[in-house]
Structures are given as structure tokens and as C-alpha cells.
Amino acid sequence: AQRVTQPEKLLSVFKGAPVELKCNYSYSGSPELFWYVQYSRQRLQLLLRHISRESIKGFTADLNKGETSFHLKKPFAQEEDSAMYYCAPTGGGNKLTFGTGTQLKVEL
Amino acid sequence: KAGVTQTPRYLIKTRGQQVTLSCSPISGHRSVSWYQQTPGQGLQFLFEYFSETQRNKGNFPGRFSGRQFSNSRSEMNVSTLELGDSALYLCASSLDGTEHGYTFGSGTRLTVV
């Protein structure tokens, strides 16, 4: 069965500290992988996708096929990074399967 | 350009009734997906439409249905509403699927009483 796991419900870091949001997936084949973010009172929006290897707002995500992980990282957390982050591999076809999400709180 | 528009924003219905939610995708986007978001189950995929055809379907009962029109606008219908159908229903559109990522609407908050 297709499964995505985000082990931390809440991650609290200080401003300027490194951030790593974990995501592990269990899929057959080679899924496409995405991170979505939802800021307070805003819509869910695409943060980045592994296929494009882009860095958005200082965030990067490395796909590790051996460990089936797609952790989201940022070297220095900013207050505006506080949000809910969802890892979302595709399932069969064009179906996003969202993890349960990690609430990131950046404290001053 | 305009984003994904969902109407209505809020809806209160009684158990047993049926409801229709509407989604207007970004102009030019042909893929529309629907998701249900609840505190307990998180974000769950309902179905995806592309060029008026259902391409993918999630694990929801047949009471949940949808359709897409020639202008790519989509509707989802829930019949015989149950209390557990109370949720935020999100619509997302994309050019042609997940490769380019989906743009989400603000959602319709459905409350079943």
C-alpha cells in the first residue's frame, strides 16, 4: 500500500537554527515528490517538487531512494517559515497522497 | 490571473440532504482534483478529472461523485449527507497533472448537522 509518513506533528526551532522536516514514503515504482505549505489563514500552496531540483525560500529537499525519504531542509529558519508543511508523493497517476503534516514553529 | 475559485465558502446542511460544490480552475488548466480535509484524517484524495473524464478516484463511497464541464469547471456532489462528511473540501487545478504541481483553492467548509 502507498504510504507517506511525517513523524513529527510539531517541530519547534529557534530563529536562525537549521530545520529538517522528515518525510518517508512507501511506494511502488518511482513517485513524483512534492512539498506543500500552508501558512496561517492562507491556501495550501506548492513549495517545491523534486523533479525540478529548485530551492524555494531557502528550502531544499533531497530524494534518497535508498531510504525512501524526501526530507525538507533549510539552513537558517526565519520567523515567516512558521507554517504547516505537507509531504506529498504522487500515487498512481495524478493523485497526491498527503502526509499528516508537520507544524513548524520558529521562535525568536 | 485569477486563482482557483471555490463556491460557496461555507455551507451548512442537514443529515440526509445532498450538496453540490463548485470549482473554477485557473484559466488553461485542464486537470481538477478534489480533496477532503479533516482534523482526524488529514488531506484525502477524492477524485481527479481531466478533459471531462475522471482519471483517478480515491477510496470514498459512491455517495461522493463529481464531474467536469467542457470549460474545465468542476462540481462535486455528496448525496445522503452524514455527520462525518463535515470537512473542508479543497479543489486543485493543474495544467495536466502532478508534474507541474497543483494550485489549490481556499476550499468550501461543509458542516453537516
Side-chain angles (χ1 to χ4, degrees):
Chain A
Q2 299 161 342
R3 192 179 302 165
V4 55
T5 304
Q6 291 181 253
E8 302 133 334
K9 283 192 72 171
L10 173 66
L11 182 64
S12 184
V13 301
F14 285 107
K15 180 181 174 181
V19 175
E20 183 179 51
L21 300 168
K22 291 183 168 54
C23 172
N24 290 90
Y25 63 93
S26 172
Y27 273 75
S28 58
S30 299
E32 297 171 50
L33 291 137
F34 301 85
W35 276 95
Y36 280 80
V37 61
Q38 190 166 30
Y39 301 101
S40 180
R41 302 181 193 279
Q42 293 188 28
R43 304 178 182 201
L44 194 61
Q45 56 187 284
L46 176 66
L47 180 62
L48 59 79
R49 51 190 181 232
H50 94 273
I51 196 170
S52 60
R53 298 183 181 278
E54 36 192 6
S55 173
I56 304 292
K57 299 184 180 183
F59 284 97
T60 58
D62 292 324
L63 174 60
N64 186 319
K65 291 187 177 180
E67 296 180 0
T68 59
S69 68
F70 188 53
H71 302 329
L72 184 69
K73 299 178 184 179
K74 184 170 183 177
F76 308 103
Q78 302 298 313
E79 194 179 354
E80 56 266 26
D81 295 329
S82 294
M84 191 73 165
Y85 291 82
Y86 293 95
C87 179
T90 54
N94 296 296
K95 178 176 89 169
L96 288 169
T97 301
F98 286 89
T100 50
T102 298
Q103 180 73 47
L104 174 65
K105 185 177 178 183
V106 180
E107 301 185 71
L108 300 174
Chain B
K1 55 184 175 183
V4 178
T5 304
Q6 291 187 247
T7 56
R9 288 296 305 276
Y10 302 93
L11 207 48
I12 300 176
K13 288 286 189 178
T14 305
R15 264 184 306 174
Q17 286 186 312
Q18 68 134 24
V19 68
T20 299
L21 311 181
S22 180
C23 172
S24 293
I26 289 174
S27 178
H29 284 193
R30 297 165 66 190
S31 171
V32 174
S33 292
W34 289 88
Y35 291 82
Q36 182 196 64
Q37 187 175 28
T38 59
Q41 299 296 318
L43 281 152
Q44 292 186 287
F45 174 79
L46 281 155
F47 27 66
E48 186 234 355
Y49 286 87
F50 182 83
S51 293
E52 302 179 65
T53 301
Q54 187 181 86
R55 252 193 333 194
N56 289 282
K57 190 177 189 304
N59 297 321
F60 277 81
R63 300 186 296 107
F64 291 81
S65 63
R67 59 178 175 167
Q68 187 180 32
F69 302 95
S70 58
N71 61 358
S72 293
R73 190 177 71 84
S74 178
E75 289 181 346
M76 70 161 276
N77 184 277
V78 188
S79 62
T80 320
L81 283 166
E82 300 177 1
L83 295 178
D85 296 334
S86 295
L88 180 67
Y89 289 89
L90 294 171
C91 167
S93 76
S94 173
L95 275 168
D96 54 11
T98 57
E99 183 181 338
H100 297 95
Y102 276 96
T103 300
F104 281 80
S106 297
T108 293
R109 173 75 63 185
L110 172 65
T111 302
V112 182
V113 297

